[in-house]
Amino acid sequence: MQKKNATVHLLILDPSQNDAESLISLLRNSGKATRAHRITSEEDLEEALKSGSWDLLLARDIDQEFRADDALAMIRRMDKDIPFVLLTGEYDRDRTVSMMRAGAQDTVPFEYTDQLVLVVNRELAALDERRRRRVLESHLREAEQRCQLLLESSKDAIAYINDGMHIYANQSYLEFLGHEDIDELICIPVLDTLTPDSQDRYKEFMKSFAESGKDGMTLTCVARRSDDHELNVVMSVSSATYDGEACTQIVLQPEHSDAELEEKLRQISSQDLLTGLYNRQYLMDALGQAVALAGKNNESGALAYIALDNFMSLKGRVGIAGADLLLGDLSNILREHAPEGATLARLSDDAFCLLCQPGDEKELASQCEELCRTVENHLFDINGRTVPVTLSIGVAAVTENSPKAPDVLGRAHTASAELKKKDGHEQGNGVLIYNPTDYEALDDTNSAEAIQKALDENRFRLLFQPIINLRGEGEEHYEAFVRMLDKDGEEVSPYDFLPPVGPSDMSIKIDRWVILQTIKQLSSHRSRGHDTRLFLNITAETLEDKTFTSWLSVALKAARLPGDSLIFQIREGDANNYMKQAKDFSKAIHELHCKLSICQFGCALNPFNTLKHINVDYVKIDGSFTEEIQKSDEAKEGVKEMVKSLQSAGKLTIIPLVENAGVLATLWQAGVNYIQGYYLQAPVPEMNYDFGDQ
C-alpha cells in the first residue's frame, strides 16, 4: 500500500500565538504537512470537534481560562478518537500518570522537541492503524452482511441441512413453514416438515442426489407447516458448506408463487405489530450501518434508549389490554416528537429506541428532555382511568470510535439505568448522556524500534523511485529511500524513525550507510551505460558533521563515481534551523561537483528567504501542495506563481506525490521541470524504470 504524505490536522491549546506557531513549524520541519487551529475557548473546541476531523491535539499545561484537563474531558465525553499530548513545563511523574489515566496518550516537556516529534509520529501512526482497522472491520461487516442478506432477503425459502436435520434457515424459510425462529426449527428433521406421502419420495430423492452429486435436482412434494396447513412446493437441492462443514442446501418454492404475499411478509418482518414502529431487528441493522458509516465517513450520530418507568406496576393496574393501549398512545407521541429522518423502533414491552444520523448526542438529549416533559404532562386515559407515565432516557453517541451495534445499544441502556442513581431522579423521568470515561478503562501500549540492532543485523533496505523530466528530456534521475525491516519482516518508512532519530551519531551512521550503499549500486548501474543521477536525503546531523565532505570525497574516489551523479537533499526545516551549517554544506559539496536540493519547500513563513542564503540547484515543493491543487483554483494559481518565481531564480522545480494523470495538465501549464509519484512508479529495489517510454 502506498504511503500518502497526508496533511496533519492539528489542534493546539496554547495561550501564546508564538509558541503555537513554533509547534506548527516543528512538525512541518520534521516532514509533515500541517494545517492547524489554535483553540481559544471551550466553545471553540466543541465547535471544532463537531465540524471537522482532527488528527492530534497538543495542549500546554499552564494556567489559562480553558485548561488542558477540560479539553481532554471534552474529547472523552464526545468519544472522539483524537490523540492528546500534554506539553508540560518539566517532567512530573504524578501529573503524567494522572493525565494518561484520564485518557491522554502522553506528556512531554515543552522544550523536548525531539521527543515530541517522536511521540507525534508514534501517535499519528497508531491513529492511522486504528482508522485502517475500522475501515477493514467495516468492509468485513459489509461482506458478511451481504452474504447474509443474500440469504435473508431472498424471496426463496432457503435452509441448510446436515444428516437430515436443519442447521440454518433464512427468514423466508421460517415464515414459509410457520416457525418463529431457527432455534425452534433446528430440532425438527426435514422429514417432519413433509406430509407422510411425500416422505418416501424425499428419501429416494436425497439418495439419488447423494449418488449423483448433481446440483439443482428438484422434487415436487407437499410441505406441512407448523399449523398443519399443507403447501404444494418444489424443493431443489445442491451441495454447500456452512461454518466450514459440508452440508446440503435446500430451496422451497410454491408451485404458484404469490409475489404480493411475499412482499407483505417482508414488510411485516421489520415491523412491530402492536405499535406499527420498526422492530428490534430492523433497529439493530440500522444501528450497525450507522456505526459503519461513522467509521468510514466520520459521520456522527446518536442513539436514545427510551424506557418506561415502573412499567410492570402500570401493567398491573391497567391489565394487559390496557398496557397495549398505553403503548399505542405512547408510540404516537414518540412519532410526533421524533426528529425528521430518525429511526424509531420498539425494542421490548417497556423500551423504545430513537436513532439519528447525522446527529449529535447533546442535541438529541435536548429533544429527549422535551419528550420527557410532554409524556409527563400527557393524560393517558386507559379505560376511563388516567395513568401517569414518565420516561428514563439514555443517550449514546455514535462516532468513529464507537464499538459494535450491540455495545452502542448497551451504552444507551446503561445511561438510562444510571439515571435513577442521580439525585432527584430516583423514579426516573429524565435524560442522561453516556460518558465513556465513567465506565471504560483505557489501554496503554508502547512500542519502539531498535535501530542500532537493525543496522547490526543488516535489516536496512534501499528503494529507488524515478524522478521524470516533464518536458520529455531523457534524463535518468532517482530518489533513494531507506527502509528498515522490523522483527516481522515488515518495511518501516524512514519518516517514522529518522527525523529526529537521536542521538546524533545514529542519524549520521544511517546517512552514511545509505550513501555508501547507493554509491556502490549507482557505480555498478552507470557502468552498464546509464547516465543516472541519484537524490540522497540527509538529516540535520549530517549538515552539522564537519567530517562528512572529506569522507564523501574518499567514497566517491573509491567508487570512481563523478560528483555530479549525486544530488543531496535537505529539508526546508533543517535548512532554516541550521542556516549557517547548510550554507557551508552547500559550498563544500559543490566543490565536489555534487548538486543540492531542498525538499518540503513552501511550509516556512517566508520560504524564499531560505534561498537567499543557501545555494540550491533543485527545489522540491512540499507534497501537500500537490493535494491542494487538485481541490481549488486558488491553490493552482499559488503553485504556478511559486514555480515561476523559483525558475526566475534559476532553480529546477520538482513536484512529488503525483498519484494520477489528472494533475499532469496543471503541472505542465505551471512549467514544472520534474515530477515524482506512484502514478509513474512506486519505490522499488532496482533502478529499472524505462526513461525512454515517456
Side-chain angles (χ1 to χ4, degrees), residues 24 125 196 307 314 401 575 595 613 671:
I24 298 169
L314 289 175
N401 201 38
K595 303 292 185 182
H613 300 281

Side-chain angles (χ1 to χ4, degrees), residues 1-5 463 465-466 481 483 491 493 655-661 675-684 689:
M1 180 178 291
Q2 69 189 64
K3 184 177 180 65
K4 295 284 187 182
N5 187 24
L463 298 177
Q465 186 176 40
F481 298 95
R483 295 288 187 267
E491 290 185 350
S493 167
I655 293 288
L657 297 181
V658 176
E659 313 296 353
N660 57 72
I675 58 174
Q676 176 185 11
Y678 278 75
Y679 174 69
L680 304 168
Q681 189 183 70
V684 294
Y689 186 79

Side-chain angles (χ1 to χ4, degrees), residues 511-578:
D511 281 353
R512 292 196 179 190
W513 183 92
V514 172
I515 293 167
L516 199 58
Q517 296 301 318
T518 52
I519 283 178
K520 291 178 181 178
Q521 292 198 35
L522 181 60
S523 178
S524 174
H525 188 69
R526 287 172 66 97
S527 69
R528 295 192 289 272
H530 298 278
D531 186 20
T532 304
R533 291 173 172 79
L534 275 182
F535 283 76
L536 300 174
N537 294 284
I538 59 170
T539 59
E541 287 77 8
T542 293
L543 281 180
E544 298 180 273
D545 182 10
K546 296 181 179 179
T547 67
F548 174 75
T549 50
S550 58
W551 173 86
L552 176 63
S553 177
V554 172
L556 288 172
K557 290 177 181 177
R560 298 180 179 179
L561 198 64
D564 63 3
S565 62
L566 299 181
I567 304 160
F568 289 95
Q569 190 160 258
I570 60 176
R571 293 186 294 270
E572 181 185 66
D574 291 339
N576 288 327
N577 292 334
Y578 304 95

Side-chain angles (χ1 to χ4, degrees), residues 215-270:
D215 289 342
M217 293 177 60
T218 60
L219 169 69
T220 301
C221 56
V222 181
R224 184 174 59 190
R225 286 170 46 89
S226 61
D227 57 6
D228 292 329
H229 183 72
E230 296 181 358
L231 298 170
N232 294 322
V233 299
V234 176
M235 177 189 295
S236 61
V237 296
S238 58
S239 300
T241 59
Y242 186 76
D243 279 347
E245 294 185 6
C247 61
T248 301
Q249 175 186 282
I250 63 174
V251 180
L252 299 183
Q253 291 179 313
E255 281 191 298
H256 304 287
S257 179
D258 190 339
E260 184 177 348
L261 176 60
E262 291 175 2
E263 178 63 28
K264 188 173 182 180
L265 288 172
R266 273 199 305 275
Q267 291 178 357
I268 292 174
S269 68
S270 65

Side-chain angles (χ1 to χ4, degrees), residues 659-686:
E659 313 296 353
N660 57 72
V663 73
L664 292 180
T666 299
L667 300 181
W668 175 271
Q669 293 169 6
V672 171
N673 299 102
Y674 298 92
I675 58 174
Q676 176 185 11
Y678 278 75
Y679 174 69
L680 304 168
Q681 189 183 70
V684 294
E686 303 292 336

Side-chain angles (χ1 to χ4, degrees), residues 138 176 196 202 216 262 333 353-354 378 408 427 435 498 512 556 569 661 669 674 679:
S138 174
F176 191 85
Y202 169 78
E262 291 175 2
I333 296 176
C353 259
L354 187 61
H378 182 78
V408 175
Q427 299 301 315
N435 186 347
L498 277 178
R512 292 196 179 190
L556 288 172
Q569 190 160 258
Q669 293 169 6
Y674 298 92
Y679 174 69

Side-chain angles (χ1 to χ4, degrees), residues 80-122:
K80 293 291 185 180
D81 187 9
I82 303 175
F84 184 101
V85 178
L86 183 72
L87 306 179
T88 60
E90 57 184 20
Y91 179 73
D92 183 330
R93 181 184 179 278
D94 292 338
R95 178 64 168 155
T96 296
V97 171
S98 172
M99 289 300 289
M100 293 185 74
R101 282 178 174 168
Q105 272 61 46
D106 211 339
T107 66
V108 180
F110 181 75
E111 300 298 327
Y112 291 7
T113 55
D114 52 353
Q115 181 181 347
L116 176 59
V117 172
L118 290 172
V119 168
V120 167
N121 286 342
R122 181 191 69 200

